[in-house]
Amino acid sequence: QLQLQESGPGLVKPSETLSLTCTVSGGSISSSSYYWGWIRQPPGKGLEWIGNIYYRGSTYYNPSLKSRVTISVDTSKNQFSLKLNSVSAADTAVYYCGRLEGDYWYFDLWGRGTLVTVSS
Amino acid sequence: SYVLTQPPSVSVAPGKTAMITCGGNNIGSESVHWYQQKPGQAPVLVSYYDSDRPSGIPERFSGSNSGNTATLIISRVEAGDEADYYCQVWDSNIDHVVFGGGTKLTVL
């Protein structure tokens, strides 16, 4: 059974870069049927899509974050990663990784999420 | 960009039917997906492609989509259905995922 697990620092200083990794287990990230994505949720607020990546490296980003976001994939490690630079307190959120079905574009699997706090 | 509008809250008595709406411009021409999120947990897909159900989701959950409104319908509501519900589409004009603002379902 495929599972996703987020990992990375829980505390990041303002103006620095937030870096998270999602490890896919129980299946291959190199599937032609899926994309892999990041979603975040500020405390007490709704879901915000950050971006997606295909195993071959093509990406889609939320226009509101595009200038600060990079999503990459490492098929040898079955992982994909998120980098968000120049963070501020507004980037404090639970960050989820997910598997995005590529025909109708829905997240059918989610990681448990990891809280990242931006604070000095 | 495409905007999805959900009511902030819906209340329903146990055993009754809850209807959570998701409004969008001509949303009936889009594929709409729904997620359930309980406190402290990751979202779970409960309906996709307007009205299909993932395995393991009770038949009490169903969906419809027409015109400018998509609806998640929860029949015979139980206390365990209390959660936040989010609708989602893929905006093919600019290739990105859009979530609705979420609806908190309260079981009275």
Side-chain angles (χ1 to χ4, degrees):
Chain A
Q1 180 174 344
L2 192 138
Q3 293 184 323
L4 295 85
Q5 178 67 58
E6 306 87 353
S7 59
L11 181 64
V12 181
K13 289 182 168 54
S15 80
E16 295 190 346
T17 297
L18 179 159
S19 296
L20 295 174
T21 295
C22 182
T23 301
V24 179
S25 59
S28 175
I29 201 170
S30 302
S31 168
S32 61
S33 301
Y34 298 100
Y35 278 71
W36 306 90
W38 290 97
I39 309 97
R40 70 181 184 178
Q41 185 172 35
K45 296 188 178 181
L47 301 171
E48 180 181 30
W49 173 71
I50 300 172
N52 303 332
I53 191 165
Y54 193 54
Y55 77 96
R56 290 182 175 174
S58 57
T59 53
Y60 299 109
Y61 294 134
N62 186 326
S64 69
L65 298 170
K66 187 173 183 177
S67 63
R68 298 194 292 131
V69 171
T70 301
I71 298 176
S72 58
V73 63
D74 186 336
T75 55
S76 68
K77 295 182 178 179
N78 232 29
Q79 295 176 335
F80 62 104
S81 298
L82 168 70
K83 290 189 185 299
L84 179 66
N85 57 37
S86 303
V87 298
S88 68
D91 295 308
T92 294
V94 175
Y95 285 76
Y96 296 99
C97 60
R99 188 177 76 171
L100 185 68
E101 189 275 351
D103 285 331
Y104 298 108
W105 303 98
Y106 53 87
F107 288 97
D108 64 344
L109 287 173
W110 295 65
R112 297 180 68 175
T114 187
L115 174 63
V116 179
T117 301
V118 178
S119 175
S120 56
Chain B
S1 62
Y2 199 76
V3 176
L4 297 175
T5 302
Q6 297 183 238
S9 62
V10 168
S11 299
V12 63
K16 300 298 186 183
T17 298
M19 300 179 74
I20 300 172
T21 59
C22 177
N25 185 32
N26 197 27
I27 196 173
S29 65
E30 309 292 342
S31 291
V32 180
H33 321 299
W34 291 91
Y35 304 89
Q36 175 194 68
Q37 186 181 33
K38 296 182 178 179
Q41 298 183 19
V44 172
L45 182 71
V46 294
S47 176
Y48 65 97
Y49 191 31
D50 293 343
S51 57
D52 285 352
R53 257 187 328 275
S55 60
I57 300 301
E59 291 183 6
R60 300 185 298 104
F61 288 81
S62 61
S64 68
N65 186 17
S66 179
N68 292 318
T69 305
T71 305
L72 178 68
I73 303 159
I74 310 173
S75 306
R76 303 181 299 283
V77 166
E78 303 173 355
D81 298 331
E82 191 162 278
D84 294 326
Y85 290 85
Y86 295 90
C87 59
Q88 178 248 306
V89 301
W90 173 258
D91 185 342
S92 58
N93 290 322
I94 53 175
D95 289 339
H96 75 261
V97 171
V98 180
F99 286 104
T103 298
K104 181 176 179 59
L105 177 67
T106 299
V107 181
L108 300 170

